[in-house]
Amino acid sequence: MRITRTVAGRRRRTAVMATTGLTTVALLLTGCSDSGSDSDKADADGNITLTIADFGQFGYKEAGLFEKYHELHPNITVKETVTADEQVYYPKFLQQLNTGSGLADIQGIEVGRVKELVDTKADAFADLSKVVDVDEWVNWKALQATTDEGKVIGAGTDIGPMSLCYRRDLFEQAGLPTDREEVAAKVAGGWKDYLKLGEEYKKKAPKDTFYMDSASAMYNGVVSSGEEQYYSKDGKAIYKESASVKAGWDLAAEAADKKLTAGLAQFQDPWKAALRTGTFATVACPAWMAAQIATYAGDEFKGKWDIALTPGETAANWGGSFLAVPAKGKHVKEAGELVKWLTAPEQQAAVFKAAGLFPSNKGAYELPDVKNAKLEYFNNAPIGEIYAEEAKVIPAAVLGPKDGIIKDSISTQINNMEQRGTSPEKAWNAATEEIDKVIG
Amino acid sequence: MATTTPTRGAHGSRSGRRAPKPDSPGRQAWRSRLWRFDDKASPYAYIAPFFLVFGAFGLYPLIYTGWIALHRVEMISLDQMDWVGWENFSRVLQDPEFWTAVANTFIIGVISTVPQLLVALGLAHLLNYKLRASTFWRTVILTPYATSVASAAIVFALVFRADGGLLNWFLDLVGLGGTNWAQGHWSSKIAIAVIVIWRWTGYNTLIYLAAMQAVPSDLYEAASIDGASRWQQFRNVTIPALRPTILFTIVISTIGSMQLFGEPLLLEGGTIGAQGGTEHQYETLSIYLYNYGWKLQHLGPAAAVAWAMLALLLLIAAINWLVGRSVRKTAA
């Protein structure tokens, strides 16, 4: 039985009430914050508040962009609500999309979710194709947020070109080259070479250190360099046969088998703690990861980290986000203008300078803030150059609706191989079981 | 034997006040009918707010959850519901992870409830002695209950942390060597049970204490005249008198452990906590439900889990009731 559109409004309301009852606990946990309540009306002078809801780190606060926008447009105040964990943010966002209430004027979307929204929720977003100039972005980024009819539901913020972050001091102690060109040359043959370098490291490794933090970052790097990853071009889930998934999985199993990895689940507390104590030598490193390393490792390791080109010739992108404007918002026009401004070259460059999020807008690559950017924390690595070089050759990958969850399920099982010594077969079965549940 | 109540008119004239006009018989009948109606109906009006609120926020979502359980509903499109009948239930029941969650919930429930109630009983017995500053001790014992699940779980997560956790540091100090608490199948369950025990023991202690104070003191006097030791008094006077209370706390604790959510979720936190550990080693039914609905975004099976949990609770309640009845019979 299918419930017809005519009563959809009421159904939606009741569905919301029911789900609320179902998991009051979950809602309490996610801490339902009431956004948008004070942005409903403009006051007598035409002053409005635009709300923006995002997750993790978008870098606008760090770059002081909201204050700047207020200076340029004195009648507009921007208020940002940040949810730390995207996995908490997204279900809440979906609920708000379904009910049409509680949405901010601008909402952030992670790249792992964008395809799902393009496929099923395009109606709920304003078309940004007339607002922003899509041709300014790296082309694959624009394609990710565009529907078949050419509607653009989100403007690209950052992208995550891969590189290799490594510890100079640990490499030196292990008798490996420390210069970033030499390191890049060592791994130029691809991720196999990266593992070989790891075996060399292990022979003379400083006590209680590991070559890599987690094989899942390497796995992501491998998979992201493929054009077809979890879904085929015609929209079928092909993760079981996908060449890039298989290559990534086998490399991860090898790393676990050779005990080259600390087996830490990335972004969890023990991972942060290991950065603080400095117990691993390399991380497969998308652009946005550098900021995380600097934050959690702290001043003690300043200058001891460095960044080299990613292993192999194929570039890869991991992560990145979009800014979308819900169609039902109170200030769709103003929100669109803010999105255009925030994703323009100058502002993306400012965010890159302040928070290390690499621009998706090609115009920004020519700006001095990006072009000449050096990261002091990483021994003055010329990150602007490194990432821009990568970004231009990243293939336009096929995205699927459940990319994010599939990646997480596989990462968990890679973690089990490293940490518990689970056999690759058993781990793979556990991963596919979970993924089939997701897709089914 | 018929007793008559004096009419108001008669009463009024006797006290010397101005007598009201005698009511007409019809009006009097109306009044008494109103009186009787008021007498019978008002209590329902007084308790109605609870039932209205319960109906709106308890019963209705319960039934609607059942409705959702029979449909395919995705978080991404709540307005689209496709009838699938019992498919969601069979999907959940065939999922090995569901049975892992059932087993985990059961094991954590037992290893937290049993020690918790035993300790509470002992503490209540101690607090029942004449103590200096007894109110202080009683308050102190209740403080863990007043802390929120989240803060308790986060503090204990630090205690149980593998790397630099307080407990491992201590174990290391006495030469036992630490373990990765959250990762082990048993150690993670024990860790969660400890959080539960810490939070709820005081609550149960106070309930037991209240029940103990209601035991007539002459029973103890008689027992001590008969030469019963303290321990014998505890076993033969206190425990039998506490039977209904103990049953009550068992029911409450069972319901509580069935709903375990915050403690396992926050033991490791993040995405790992939300799936009950990398091998689901401490995934409870609530976590399973959360994972299905909020991570996998399939609300149909999640609703089916909610109903399965209700069925399990009713089953446990029925067993409790049967046990309780037989206990009462043997007591009588």
Side-chain angles (χ1 to χ4, degrees):
Chain A
M1 191 187 86
R2 189 182 182 123
I3 282 140
T4 49
R5 279 263 161 192
T6 44
V7 289
R10 217 191 57 203
R11 291 287 169 200
R12 233 176 281 149
R13 265 200 305 282
T14 44
V16 173
M17 281 186 73
T19 32
T20 310
L22 190 80
T23 53
T24 334
V25 201
L27 284 177
L28 281 176
L29 190 91
T30 55
C32 359
S33 63
D34 182 47
S35 51
S37 55
D38 52 356
S39 69
D40 291 350
K41 289 181 212 96
D43 69 9
D45 305 323
N47 291 330
I48 58 168
T49 305
L50 287 179
T51 51
I52 171 167
D54 52 35
F55 48 86
Q57 197 184 30
F58 272 63
Y60 300 131
K61 206 174 288 162
E62 290 84 345
L65 290 182
F66 297 139
E67 289 85 13
K68 205 170 161 197
Y69 198 71
H70 185 60
E71 275 166 32
L72 295 170
H73 306 266
N75 63 327
I76 294 175
T77 312
V78 187
K79 211 177 89 190
E80 187 188 29
T81 313
V82 185
T83 308
D85 189 347
E86 200 274 339
Q87 304 242 10
V88 175
Y89 166 87
Y90 186 65
K92 197 168 81 186
F93 175 41
L94 279 187
Q95 269 188 323
Q96 292 166 338
L97 267 184
N98 280 313
T99 59
S101 77
L103 285 165
D105 296 307
I106 299 170
Q107 298 264 180
I109 300 172
E110 213 265 337
V111 62
R113 317 278 197 183
V114 74
K115 174 71 174 161
E116 184 169 59
L117 294 173
V118 163
D119 282 355
T120 55
K121 283 277 160 207
D123 292 347
F125 297 99
D127 185 2
L128 296 177
S129 63
K130 310 249 163 22
V131 184
V132 294
D133 185 1
V134 187
D135 295 332
E136 284 181 357
W137 309 337
V138 285
N139 72 315
W140 49 270
K141 182 79 173 174
L143 289 174
Q144 289 174 341
T146 310
T147 67
D148 293 340
E149 292 83 41
K151 180 175 180 176
V152 175
I153 68 160
T157 58
D158 61 316
I159 54 175
M162 296 288 292
S163 65
L164 184 64
C165 296
Y166 66 98
R167 283 268 304 280
R168 298 171 60 85
D169 53 332
L170 291 182
F171 265 39
E172 194 173 358
Q173 289 172 51
L176 299 181
T178 56
D179 180 72
R180 64 179 76 94
E181 307 274 328
E182 285 175 57
V183 171
K186 274 266 190 194
V187 296
W191 293 98
K192 276 260 173 211
D193 284 0
Y194 172 65
L195 290 189
K196 260 186 217 140
L197 188 68
E199 285 176 77
E200 267 182 63
Y201 176 86
K202 207 184 162 205
K203 274 179 212 149
K204 282 177 69 184
K207 198 172 164 286
D208 293 330
T209 67
F210 292 89
Y211 177 58
M212 62 174 100
D213 62 332
S214 148
S216 59
M218 176 183 67
Y219 165 83
N220 271 323
V222 178
V223 173
S224 311
S225 64
E227 275 181 54
E228 280 193 333
Q229 302 170 4
Y230 304 112
Y231 287 83
S232 67
K233 284 202 174 75
D234 49 1
K236 272 204 212 82
I238 51 148
Y239 67 95
K240 279 177 193 163
E241 302 87 42
S242 160
S244 58
V245 172
K246 187 168 183 345
W249 179 267
D250 289 346
L251 283 166
E254 191 184 334
D257 187 46
K258 291 185 172 152
K259 301 207 175 351
L260 299 175
T261 140
L264 297 160
Q266 285 184 319
F267 319 116
Q268 308 274 339
D269 284 338
W271 182 77
K272 295 173 190 168
L275 273 171
R276 165 118 241 121
T277 46
T279 49
F280 52 80
T282 67
V283 191
C285 207
W288 45 264
M289 183 89 84
Q292 304 240 352
I293 293 174
T295 306
Y296 295 119
D299 283 343
E300 199 188 326
F301 293 101
K302 196 171 179 178
K304 290 182 180 165
W305 281 92
D306 208 328
I307 298 178
L309 279 177
T310 188
E313 281 179 0
T314 340
N317 177 71
W318 175 12
S321 298
F322 297 87
L323 289 180
V325 178
K328 278 196 188 135
K330 293 279 191 305
H331 308 293
V332 174
K333 193 170 153 281
E334 292 85 348
E337 281 161 13
L338 176 58
V339 165
K340 182 185 169 61
W341 187 79
L342 284 173
T343 54
E346 293 76 24
Q347 280 63 248
Q348 288 208 356
V351 166
F352 178 61
K353 194 179 176 194
L357 300 171
F358 196 72
S360 59
N361 195 317
K362 285 181 287 185
Y365 301 166
E366 304 308 321
L367 297 176
D369 271 349
V370 177
K371 206 173 182 182
N372 309 325
K374 289 193 164 49
L375 214 48
E376 203 190 337
Y377 193 91
F378 288 80
N379 191 35
N380 286 318
I383 46 172
E385 252 170 65
I386 293 177
Y387 292 137
E389 196 173 315
E390 297 275 341
K392 283 172 196 155
V393 287
I394 291 171
V398 179
L399 291 189
K402 301 289 180 189
D403 280 347
I405 305 177
I406 296 175
K407 192 175 70 193
D408 287 343
S409 301
I410 292 182
S411 292
T412 301
Q413 293 309 323
I414 289 178
N415 196 238
N416 276 342
M417 288 196 289
E418 301 164 295
Q419 189 65 262
R420 297 167 174 272
T422 311
S423 74
E425 294 78 38
K426 208 178 151 208
W428 179 251
N429 287 339
T432 49
E433 228 169 69
E434 173 95 357
I435 295 168
D436 286 343
K437 228 189 276 175
V438 172
I439 294 170
Chain B
M1 283 240 212
T3 49
T4 49
T5 44
T7 60
R8 285 188 184 195
H11 180 74
S13 62
R14 215 179 295 155
S15 65
R17 275 192 277 134
R18 195 162 61 98
K21 271 187 202 144
D23 287 340
S24 68
R27 194 169 161 159
Q28 220 167 5
W30 164 246
R31 269 201 169 195
S32 75
R33 231 181 303 148
L34 202 64
W35 184 282
R36 245 177 300 152
F37 178 74
D38 178 43
D39 203 34
K40 283 203 174 117
S42 305
Y44 293 101
Y46 297 146
I47 56 167
F50 167 78
F51 284 97
L52 287 177
V53 171
F54 172 76
F57 295 102
L59 195 63
Y60 176 71
L62 183 76
I63 292 167
Y64 197 82
T65 305
W67 183 241
I68 287 180
L70 301 172
H71 289 81
R72 171 189 293 272
V73 193
E74 297 299 304
M75 177 99 91
I76 188 119
S77 47
L78 285 179
D79 48 348
Q80 228 184 64
M81 295 177 73
D82 300 310
W83 176 263
V84 293
W86 295 101
E87 195 191 292
N88 286 329
F89 285 94
S90 69
R91 228 169 110 179
V92 165
L93 293 178
Q94 281 168 22
D95 184 1
E97 196 183 325
F98 171 75
W99 295 106
T100 311
V102 171
N104 286 349
T105 309
F106 181 74
I107 293 169
I108 296 175
V110 169
I111 63 176
S112 64
T113 305
V114 173
Q116 180 193 156
L117 295 185
L118 288 178
V119 171
L121 207 54
L123 280 175
H125 186 62
L126 292 179
L127 283 174
N128 204 19
Y129 283 119
K130 280 204 173 62
L131 276 178
R132 213 172 281 174
S134 60
T135 320
F136 169 75
W137 294 113
R138 285 167 198 176
T139 316
V140 164
I141 231 162
L142 198 65
T143 22
Y145 173 64
T147 49
S148 77
V149 194
S151 46
I154 288 170
V155 168
F156 273 94
L158 291 176
V159 171
F160 284 111
R161 224 164 81 169
D163 202 16
L166 187 67
L167 187 63
N168 274 358
W169 170 80
F170 179 76
L171 288 176
D172 219 32
L173 204 71
V174 297
L176 283 171
T179 113
N180 194 334
W181 288 91
Q183 224 179 55
H185 282 249
W186 275 103
S187 60
S188 61
K189 293 187 184 82
I190 290 170
I192 289 164
V194 166
I195 308 176
V196 176
I197 292 170
W198 182 80
R199 272 195 77 222
W200 288 92
T201 302
Y203 172 82
N204 287 308
T205 304
L206 279 205
I207 289 179
Y208 286 149
L209 182 63
M212 279 177 191
Q213 297 198 325
V215 179
S217 58
D218 42 350
L219 283 180
Y220 290 107
E221 276 163 30
S224 61
I225 289 169
D226 287 347
S229 68
R230 284 280 194 187
W231 172 242
Q232 281 169 324
Q233 286 178 26
F234 178 69
R235 272 190 52 195
N236 298 320
V237 181
T238 313
I239 297 286
L242 249 54
R243 258 182 200 149
T245 316
I246 292 173
L247 207 68
F248 168 77
T249 53
I250 289 175
V251 173
I252 294 291
S253 305
T254 311
I255 294 176
S257 54
M258 196 70 185
Q259 296 170 336
L260 262 185
F261 180 73
E263 291 89 345
L265 185 81
L266 294 170
L267 185 67
E268 280 187 279
T271 45
I272 297 183
Q275 58 191 39
T278 53
E279 282 190 337
H280 311 294
Q281 65 269 28
Y282 53 87
E283 179 172 29
T284 60
L285 279 168
S286 306
I287 297 264
Y288 179 74
L289 185 157
Y290 175 81
N291 198 28
Y292 230 131
W294 265 244
K295 186 185 160 205
L296 311 186
Q297 299 171 18
H298 304 312
L299 293 181
V305 177
W307 266 82
M309 285 170 74
L310 180 70
L312 273 172
L313 266 181
L314 289 176
L315 187 75
I316 293 168
I319 293 170
N320 263 316
W321 180 73
L322 286 174
V323 171
R325 202 175 60 165
S326 71
V327 165
R328 265 193 298 279
K329 263 189 193 151
T330 44

